[in-house]
């Protein structure tokens, strides 16, 4: 291959943006660039170890893996060297010049320009290699791929718009990152300071990270230098240690290493399983969801190791989709080293591990809910919606998931976040109450203002509020909890405690209730709009409301379907009026049939509005109201 001259190339637009943000928003915690670069070096070694299982020639017999961190005060450089997998020219261009992550555009659209909140977001995005520019005015990368016969490459940039790239002969396998430090970052050429940072970010890594034993002055003999290098970390993969030997801080650092998260984890669980299956798992719950939690293409899953050899990132097969926010590693002794994603999908051992890990996460959550309520609340606020997916996805664990659910209710007062579990609900329900009541609405406010709650408020019965997009769907899976039926107060003929909640002599009671003279007068007015007219048992303050029939599709579900372009046959509601309300009483006395009709139409429209629905014909509503007001004013 002919030697290529130095080429100048532009960073991809998103990469440029990220670089700028990095430099300007994250300055307060500069030292993390070392975590990122050491992390990359360790990943590169993991990858080579893995590749060389099938292609032993890639290591050329050199399996003495290590990462070296050195500095030079005079030239103000800091260098991180690894003998990992290295990169080809093409890899350098795509890995260091672009951001390949899915959802990148979405990520940038969320940035606000406010440094503090943007810094938070970048943290969730993962900062990576570009964090080097927080401390360096120029970054040089010399790298040579472990693929036999590869030519080396030198990449250079000052983090502005472009970088240069050229072939470089005589480079050994692996990658050397040379940082030309900014004046303000010279602390990283202080041996003591550097050593403590390197130690902090490498203690959990399974490769020796080495530094020069004592400052060497004016030497140029490589050999001598080599001798003086010593590992500053224990070089034992963290999860292989026993729990009692690992400090919380080490667990936290390891989390940041594998998750690229800025924040500390909310909680973790480290377990060694022995017996028929042997594996170790270390699972973390993050504090905040990643920006792309709902993006289908987002990589998810655990880091998979087999007998301590790194096999792959994002092994999805070890956890169900609704636990996709869990980060961590699983290290199996039973899988073959050459295991592929396809094999993982079918392997019975993988299924058993997955079932066990799922239970592990669920019990971690239920323990937290019991012992650390506040922490669980924090978790629920961030991840509740994803957990709800589990009600449909994971039939075998439905009961445990149901116990993790939290709801606002008419007992939350003004505080949406004051939630209750099903267990809590049952613990404070009325004595003779069998059902668990709930209402679906578009928001907390709409739920709390619904006329359907009036009778429940009056009788001090708790009603759960459901207003997440996914709720109506979820409730179709949750019809019963510990033998208590869940009842939608907006549907059908709701029975109150003490009223014999069982479905029994429905007909007779309904018939009786419908014996009201207004029923017959109202029915012809609304006959095209409603299925039935009847006096209400659920209203105390409002004159009228609309009720869904038992099998009608809920408002939320209908909206979702319609947003997806599906037209839904409209099912007509029931119209219920409150015979004790002054307006209704007055209506009863109205002898002018035209005027009676107008008033009924207004009551119907108002009931739709109170339900959070929109009017079919707002103009008619307005003109009716205006006529009414004119009458009032002139009379
Ligand atoms: P991430 O590590 O999350 O993929 P980075 O920005 O840290 O993102 O790195 C981008 C990519 O550059 C890596 O995925 C890897 O392919 C490549 N890379 C970075 N550092 C090294 C290295 N020391 N050796 C080999 N490849 C590297
Ligand atoms: Mg990285």
């Amino acid at each position: 291959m002919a030697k290529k001259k130095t080429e100048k190339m532009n960073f991809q637009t998103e990469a440029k943006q990220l670089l700028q943000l990095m430099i300007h928003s994250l300055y307060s915690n500069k030292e993390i660039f070392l975590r990122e670069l050491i992390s990359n070096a360790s990943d590169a070694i993991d990858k080579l170890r893995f590749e060389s299982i099938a292609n032993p020639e890639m290591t050329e017999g050199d399996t003495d893996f290590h990462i070296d961190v050195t500095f030079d005060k005079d030239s103000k450089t800091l260098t991180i060297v690894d003998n990992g997998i290295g990169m080809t020219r093409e890899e350098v261009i795509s890995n260091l010049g672009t951001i390949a992550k899915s959802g990148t555009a979405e990520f940038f659209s969320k940035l606000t320009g406010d440094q503090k909140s943007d810094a938070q977001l970048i943290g969730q995005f993962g900062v990576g290699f570009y964090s080097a520019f927080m401390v360096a005015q120029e970054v040089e990368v010399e790298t040579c791929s472990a693929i036999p016969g590869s030519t080396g490459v030198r990449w250079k940039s000052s983090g502005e718009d472009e970088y240069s790239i050229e072939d470089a002969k005589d480079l050994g396998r692996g990658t050397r990152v040379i940082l030309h430090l900014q004046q303000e970052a010279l602390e990283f050429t202080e041996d003591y300071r550097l050593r403590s940072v390197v130690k902090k970010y490498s203690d959990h890594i399974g490769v020796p990270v080495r530094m020069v034993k004592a400052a060497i002055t004016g030497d140029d003999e490589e050999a001598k230098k080599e001798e003086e290098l010593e590992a500053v970390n224990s070089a034992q993969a963290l999860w292989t240690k026993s729990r009692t030997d690992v400090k919380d801080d080490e667990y936290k650092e390891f989390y940041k290493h594998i998750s690229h998260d800025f924040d500390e984890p909310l909680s973790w669980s480290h377990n060694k399983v022995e017996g028929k299956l042997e594996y170790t798992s270390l699972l973390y719950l993050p504090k905040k969801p990643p920006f792309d939690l709902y993006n289908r293409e987002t990589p998810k899953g655990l880091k998979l190791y087999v007998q301590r050899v790194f096999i792959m990132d994002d092994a999805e097969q070890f956890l169900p989709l609704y636990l996709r926010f869990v980060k961590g590693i699983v290290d199996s002794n039973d899988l073959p080293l050459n295991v592929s994603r396809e094999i993982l999908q079918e392997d019975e051992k993988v299924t058993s591990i997955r079932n066990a890990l799922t239970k592990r996460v669920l019990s971690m959550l239920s323990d937290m809910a019991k012992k650390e309520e506040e922490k669980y609340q924090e978790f629920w606020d961030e991840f509740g919606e994803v957990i709800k997916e589990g009600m449909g996805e994971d039939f075998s664990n439905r009961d445990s998931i149901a116990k993790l659910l939290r709801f606002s209710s008419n007992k939350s007062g003004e505080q949406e976040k004051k939630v209750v579990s099903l267990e809590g609900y049952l613990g404070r329900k009325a004595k003779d109450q069998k059902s668990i009541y709930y209402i679906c609405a578009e928001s907390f406010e709409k739920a709390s203002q619904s006329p359907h709650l009036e009778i429940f408020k009056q009788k001090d019965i708790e009603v759960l509020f459901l207003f997440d997009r996914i709720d109506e769907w979820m409730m179709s899976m949750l019809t019963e909890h510990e033998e208590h039926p869940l009842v939608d107060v907006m549907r059908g003929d709701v029975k109150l405690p003490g009223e014999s909640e069982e479905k029994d002599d429905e007909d007779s009671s309904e018939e009786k209730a419908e014996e009201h003279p207004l029923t017959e007068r109202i029915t012809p007015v609304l006959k095209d709009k409603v299925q039935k007219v009847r006096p209400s048992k659920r209203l105390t303050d409002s004159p009228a409301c609309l009720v869904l029939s038992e099998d009608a599709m809920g408002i939320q579900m209908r909206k979702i379907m319609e947003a997806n372009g599906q037209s839904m046959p409209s099912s007509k509601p029931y119209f219920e009026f409150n015979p004790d309300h002054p307006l209704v009483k007055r209506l009863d006395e109205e002898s002018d049939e035209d005027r009676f009709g107008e008033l009924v139409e207004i009551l119907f429209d108002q009931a739709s509005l109170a339900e959070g629905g929109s009017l079919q014909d707002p103009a008619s509503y307005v003109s009716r109201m205006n006529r009414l007001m004119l009458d009032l004013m002139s009379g």
Side-chain angles (χ1 to χ4, degrees):
M1 213 187 353
K3 187 176 155 106
K4 287 187 195 151
K5 284 206 306 272
T6 307
E7 268 185 84
K8 297 254 184 226
M9 299 184 89
N10 274 311
F11 283 108
Q12 173 206 30
T13 317
E14 284 85 0
K16 243 183 266 178
Q17 276 175 288
L18 188 61
L19 268 165
Q20 286 311 307
L21 276 166
M22 196 82 69
I23 297 166
H24 295 114
S25 331
L26 294 182
Y27 52 83
S28 60
N29 192 16
K30 285 186 178 191
E31 64 174 46
I32 56 132
F33 78 94
L34 264 168
R35 170 172 83 217
E36 298 299 329
L37 297 182
I38 291 174
S39 202
N40 285 351
S42 137
D43 288 350
I45 288 169
D46 272 353
K47 282 182 201 157
L48 178 56
R49 270 194 189 133
F50 173 66
E51 289 293 333
S52 63
I53 297 167
N55 308 297
E57 70 281 4
M58 283 180 82
T59 59
E60 293 174 321
D62 172 17
T63 52
D64 172 24
F65 295 109
H66 49 80
I67 300 166
D68 293 344
V69 181
T70 57
F71 62 90
D72 183 333
K73 271 196 158 150
D74 299 333
S75 61
K76 301 175 185 163
T77 54
L78 177 63
T79 305
I80 294 106
V81 187
D82 67 71
N83 55 354
I85 197 152
M87 287 178 271
T88 63
R89 187 184 182 95
E90 287 67 37
E91 284 168 341
V92 170
I93 293 172
S94 79
N95 292 341
L96 306 186
T98 65
I99 305 169
K101 233 176 225 170
S102 68
T104 306
E106 186 196 341
F107 166 76
F108 280 102
S109 71
K110 287 193 186 157
L111 295 174
T112 57
D114 171 49
Q115 290 190 342
K116 219 168 160 192
S117 63
D118 286 353
Q120 257 265 320
L121 264 179
I122 301 173
Q124 290 168 49
F125 188 77
V127 285
F129 171 77
Y130 293 145
S131 61
F133 289 100
M134 297 187 332
V135 294
Q137 51 194 8
E138 187 178 54
V139 178
E140 255 180 279
V141 178
E142 294 176 348
T143 183
C144 184
S145 166
I147 298 167
S150 297
T151 314
V153 185
R154 180 175 295 109
W155 179 99
K156 225 192 264 191
S157 176
S158 57
E160 311 273 293
D161 291 352
E162 54 173 31
Y163 58 86
S164 72
I165 186 163
E166 64 187 14
D167 286 355
K169 284 222 175 105
D170 306 323
L171 295 181
R173 171 195 90 209
T175 303
R176 174 184 298 265
V177 179
I178 306 154
L179 308 179
H180 297 269
L181 295 171
Q182 299 162 4
Q183 205 59 34
E184 308 82 68
L186 290 180
E187 62 190 284
F188 298 106
T189 59
E190 298 297 336
D191 185 63
Y192 181 76
R193 164 85 173 121
L194 183 63
R195 196 171 289 266
S196 80
V197 180
V198 170
K199 214 170 144 37
K200 173 169 168 194
Y201 293 128
S202 61
D203 248 357
H204 52 267
I205 284 177
V207 189
V209 176
R210 310 186 308 186
M211 286 183 70
V212 174
K213 207 168 195 172
I216 294 171
T217 43
D219 79 295
D220 44 12
E221 289 167 72
E222 277 302 309
K224 191 177 158 204
K225 219 176 188 176
E226 283 287 321
E227 276 172 12
E228 310 268 354
L229 285 164
E230 61 172 358
V232 298
N233 61 341
S234 64
Q236 188 190 348
L238 180 112
W239 67 91
T240 62
K241 299 180 184 175
S242 113
R243 252 193 312 226
T244 46
D245 292 341
V246 186
K247 296 192 205 81
D248 281 1
D249 279 345
E250 292 177 282
Y251 277 122
K252 290 177 187 168
E253 264 323 312
F254 186 70
Y255 167 74
K256 292 179 183 174
H257 165 67
I258 56 165
S259 69
H260 302 285
D261 191 346
F262 249 51
D263 244 335
E264 293 184 349
L266 187 66
S267 163
W268 61 85
S269 169
H270 179 191
N271 297 91
K272 198 168 272 170
V273 175
E274 276 157 2
K276 222 169 88 202
L277 275 175
E278 289 192 5
Y279 64 90
T280 302
S281 63
L282 173 50
L283 305 176
Y284 289 96
L285 302 177
K287 277 194 180 154
K288 297 250 183 259
F291 71 95
D292 51 1
L293 184 66
Y294 289 99
N295 187 330
R296 270 167 211 259
E297 278 116 71
T298 303
K300 46 199 154 282
L302 303 177
K303 255 181 186 307
L304 172 64
Y305 289 77
V306 171
Q307 293 157 39
R308 273 161 292 295
V309 177
F310 167 77
I311 305 295
M312 66 177 80
D313 280 310
D314 315 317
E316 304 178 0
Q317 295 77 3
F318 291 92
L319 283 173
L321 203 56
Y322 72 99
L323 298 179
R324 61 187 174 276
F325 53 85
V326 175
K327 303 276 184 206
I329 67 105
V330 54
D331 186 347
S332 155
N333 277 346
D334 305 302
L335 295 170
L337 279 169
N338 62 356
V339 68
S340 65
R341 282 187 197 270
E342 290 68 40
I343 295 176
L344 286 182
Q345 238 144 35
E346 289 155 14
D347 196 291
E348 271 177 37
K349 289 177 222 121
V350 175
T351 312
S352 313
I353 299 179
R354 171 193 170 109
N355 291 340
L357 294 183
T358 304
K359 290 217 157 55
R360 172 87 53 208
V361 175
L362 293 177
S363 75
M364 205 166 147
L365 288 171
S366 79
D367 278 356
M368 192 195 293
K370 276 188 206 113
K371 292 177 203 147
E372 300 169 284
E373 234 173 285
E374 260 174 49
K375 208 168 174 185
Y376 185 72
Q377 171 86 40
E378 207 182 311
F379 168 82
W380 180 257
D381 289 345
E382 299 290 348
F383 295 99
E385 277 198 71
V386 202
I387 291 293
K388 289 176 181 176
E389 292 175 17
M391 290 300 292
E393 191 189 345
D394 189 355
F395 191 78
S396 61
N397 288 306
R398 203 175 268 182
D399 283 347
S400 341
I401 301 171
K403 287 184 184 143
L404 294 174
L405 300 175
R406 294 294 180 271
F407 306 87
S408 323
S409 78
N410 53 348
K411 307 235 162 167
S412 304
E414 308 267 285
Q415 292 161 277
E416 187 176 327
K417 301 236 155 118
K418 208 168 151 208
V419 291
V420 64
S421 63
L422 292 174
E423 198 184 2
Y425 180 100
L426 293 172
R428 65 193 192 197
K429 71 174 175 51
K431 253 211 192 99
D432 50 357
Q433 181 181 346
K434 185 113 179 44
S435 309
I436 300 175
Y437 298 102
Y438 70 91
I439 183 166
C440 289
E442 276 173 68
S443 63
F444 177 79
E445 288 73 26
K446 289 225 165 105
S448 52
Q449 287 154 13
S450 169
H452 292 272
L453 292 185
E454 289 172 4
I455 189 72
F456 293 91
K457 277 185 197 151
Q458 195 195 45
K459 302 206 171 218
D460 195 33
I461 299 168
E462 182 160 26
V463 179
L464 303 176
F465 291 176
L466 290 146
F467 44 86
D468 277 344
R469 254 175 76 94
I470 188 174
D471 281 344
E472 242 167 37
W473 171 83
M474 177 183 74
M475 292 316 279
S476 66
M477 324 277 166
L478 181 61
T479 50
E480 202 184 86
H481 184 71
E482 296 185 337
E483 294 174 12
H484 295 277
L486 279 103
V487 172
D488 182 347
V489 303
M490 281 174 70
R491 279 173 197 275
D493 195 26
V494 171
K495 300 272 197 299
L496 295 172
E499 258 185 11
S500 124
E501 295 170 54
E502 325 293 340
K503 286 196 182 156
D504 45 16
D505 48 349
E506 214 173 296
D507 301 323
S508 61
S509 72
E510 240 182 59
E511 230 126 76
K512 212 186 275 161
E514 276 159 39
E515 281 171 18
H516 190 284
L518 268 177
T519 308
E520 241 174 74
R521 269 183 91 193
I522 295 175
T523 305
V525 182
L526 296 178
K527 67 176 182 312
D528 295 335
K529 296 182 177 165
V530 305
Q531 245 183 73
K532 207 172 204 174
V533 175
R534 66 184 179 199
S536 183
K537 285 185 289 178
R538 57 187 108 212
L539 298 176
T540 60
D541 303 330
S542 300
C545 72
L546 301 179
V547 178
L548 294 172
S549 65
E550 294 288 358
D551 49 0
M553 182 177 285
I555 304 175
Q556 276 184 335
M557 202 83 125
R558 172 177 299 275
K559 283 200 172 152
I560 293 173
M561 303 291 258
E562 282 170 355
N564 290 339
Q566 280 161 287
S567 77
M568 289 291 116
S570 60
S571 74
K572 293 178 190 166
Y574 289 21
F575 178 80
E576 289 192 357
F577 60 91
N578 175 2
D580 298 327
H581 194 278
L583 257 179
V584 177
K585 285 189 172 150
R586 167 71 184 73
L587 193 66
D588 202 14
E589 291 155 16
E590 181 59 61
S591 53
D592 178 345
E593 281 309 309
D594 284 346
R595 204 171 148 117
F596 178 84
E598 294 248 297
L599 289 169
V600 169
E601 294 274 7
I602 288 173
L603 285 183
F604 175 83
D605 281 349
Q606 286 183 342
S608 315
L609 285 175
E611 231 54 82
S614 50
L615 299 181
Q616 271 173 358
D617 186 357
S620 303
Y621 173 74
V622 172
S623 61
R624 272 190 207 108
M625 280 305 283
N626 288 350
R627 274 200 295 278
L628 199 70
M629 286 197 282
L630 266 178
D631 276 6
L632 274 176
M633 286 187 255
S634 54

